[in-house]
Amino acid sequence: MYAMRLLAPHTPLQWTELPDPTPGPGQIRVKVGACGVCRTDLHVVDADLPFPGHALTPGHEIVGRIDAIGPNVEGLHMGQRVGIPWLGHTCGCCHYCETDHENLCDHPLFTGYTRDGGYATMAVADAHFTFPLPDGDDDVATAPLLCAGLIGWRSLVMAGKEARSIGLYGFGAAAHIIAQVAVWQGRSVYAFTRPGDTKTQEFARSLGCVWAGGSDEMPPEQLDATIIFAPVGALVPAALKAVHKAGRVVCAGIHMSEIPAFSYDLLWEERQIVSVANLTRQDGIDFLELVPRVGIRTTTTPYPLKEANRALDDLRHGRFEGAAVLVP
């Protein structure tokens, strides 16, 4: 097999030949059809997340077909199309696992970070942490659903069913997916982009957003909730200004720059700031069942696997709309 490997933080990924992995008990091996490029991958490469101390293969928006099955795997079969997400394993016995909060497990493994991921021609995953996918769909179009879609969905749920007007800060892979869900639900969606990014603002309006503007602007009315996908701490006080009394600000990223000091007046009147951490398998089941009902269409830019470094750099500088996807 071949993979784009991170050998040390702050260095380009290296094209590497590796022995084909053998799935162990409870595991499957997948021939990768496509792997999305997520902002979390940038945080791994740039060491915003602590480097695990060993070479690794990034990538956790994996779509492929099973080509090997380890012992004690039930309910999956050879050739089956599956998706592999960020949460790759949990202990099953800590307080969080036992109280339906496996996303907060004390001893987790994360695909493409603490275990090898999908910037490769093959990937191994725990069978219980994969999602069966329907045949016939395009792998490139499906890949962003495995993280951008899932985190977007969990963030939307945390924003609350009662939130009828929602602002999305950072209109990239996650926002362009979840905006479609929120519009389908009958909510009014407001898109916040980099200041002056009229192209992305037009893209947001094409997906049904009722307003689109720069993150330095105020929406035309105060909102019920906002979701921050951009890893920019300065957006937290801006988002608080945008919500009305009892409004909620959901921070959806795994990493964010420092949040600046702000006046308590912005938080007062029962406004809330909450964060989203990882996802649960139930999140995946709920969201993937919803995808065909909503008719979600992802906007993607495919890259050959060998050009993973270019894809990451293009993501870093916002050179495409929607999501980048690597194709072996």
Side-chain angles (χ1 to χ4, degrees):
M1 65 168 283
Y2 294 90
M4 292 295 288
R5 300 276 282 172
L6 179 66
L7 305 183
H10 304 293
T11 62
L13 305 182
Q14 300 294 317
W15 179 256
T16 307
E17 183 176 5
L18 299 168
D20 291 353
T22 300
Q27 295 182 334
I28 60 169
R29 186 178 71 194
V30 168
K31 182 178 180 182
V32 177
C35 183
V37 179
C38 179
R39 186 163 292 277
T40 300
D41 300 333
L42 273 182
H43 295 320
V44 171
V45 171
D46 294 343
D48 295 324
L49 300 178
F51 186 66
H54 55 78
L56 63 96
T57 303
H60 56 274
E61 297 179 329
I62 307 168
V63 178
R65 292 188 178 273
I66 299 173
D67 76 342
I69 298 177
N72 306 321
V73 172
E74 298 179 357
L76 297 174
H77 58 81
M78 293 287 289
Q80 185 172 2
R81 187 169 181 261
V82 296
I84 302 172
W86 168 251
L87 186 64
H89 177 80
T90 59
C91 70
C93 58
C94 70
H95 166 74
Y96 300 103
C97 288
E98 291 180 341
T99 55
D100 295 326
H101 293 90
E102 67 179 7
N103 58 308
L104 302 177
C105 174
D106 284 332
H107 306 287
L109 291 175
F110 297 115
T111 308
Y113 180 40
T114 55
R115 72 185 317 167
D116 284 337
Y119 285 18
T121 56
M122 292 180 176
V124 168
D126 282 15
H128 288 305
F129 288 82
T130 61
F131 299 116
L133 298 174
D135 288 324
D137 292 340
D138 178 65
D139 288 351
V140 171
T142 301
L145 302 176
L146 271 299
C147 184
L150 290 179
I151 287 297
W153 171 247
R154 187 171 180 87
S155 300
L156 184 62
V157 170
M158 291 189 71
K161 292 181 179 179
E162 68 282 0
R164 306 314 301 167
S165 59
I166 294 185
L168 305 179
Y169 283 83
F171 205 83
H176 98 283
I177 292 171
I178 217 60
Q180 297 175 61
V181 177
V183 169
W184 177 79
Q185 291 175 332
R187 310 191 202 212
S188 297
V189 182
Y190 297 72
F192 296 83
T193 71
R194 287 186 175 97
D197 188 354
T198 56
K199 183 179 179 182
T200 300
Q201 291 164 18
E202 181 179 348
F203 176 51
R205 286 189 288 268
S206 75
L207 294 175
C209 295
V210 299
W211 178 89
S215 59
D216 57 345
E217 300 179 51
M218 286 291 290
E221 60 183 20
Q222 285 190 301
L223 308 176
D224 296 331
T226 58
I227 303 173
I228 302 176
F229 291 111
V232 181
L235 292 176
V236 172
L240 282 170
K241 290 180 182 178
V243 299
H244 56 56
K245 291 182 285 187
R248 179 174 291 182
V249 174
V250 180
C251 300
I254 194 172
H255 170 81
M256 182 178 280
S257 60
E258 186 171 338
I259 300 172
F262 57 85
S263 170
Y264 176 68
D265 292 346
L266 293 181
L267 186 61
W268 190 58
E269 296 176 315
E270 299 191 356
R271 294 174 177 87
Q272 302 174 50
I273 304 172
V274 298
S275 69
V276 171
N278 313 313
L279 60 117
T280 68
R281 284 172 284 183
Q282 191 61 49
D283 291 329
I285 293 168
D286 294 343
F287 175 67
L288 292 172
E289 286 181 350
L290 196 65
V291 168
R293 294 168 55 197
V294 177
I296 291 173
R297 295 291 181 267
T298 57
T299 297
T300 58
T301 301
Y303 295 77
L305 177 59
K306 281 188 174 183
E307 296 186 20
N309 290 310
R310 181 167 69 90
L312 287 166
D313 193 59
D314 287 350
L315 172 60
R316 183 181 284 110
H317 294 97
R319 297 190 182 113
F320 53 79
E321 293 176 347
V325 180
L326 300 178
V327 182

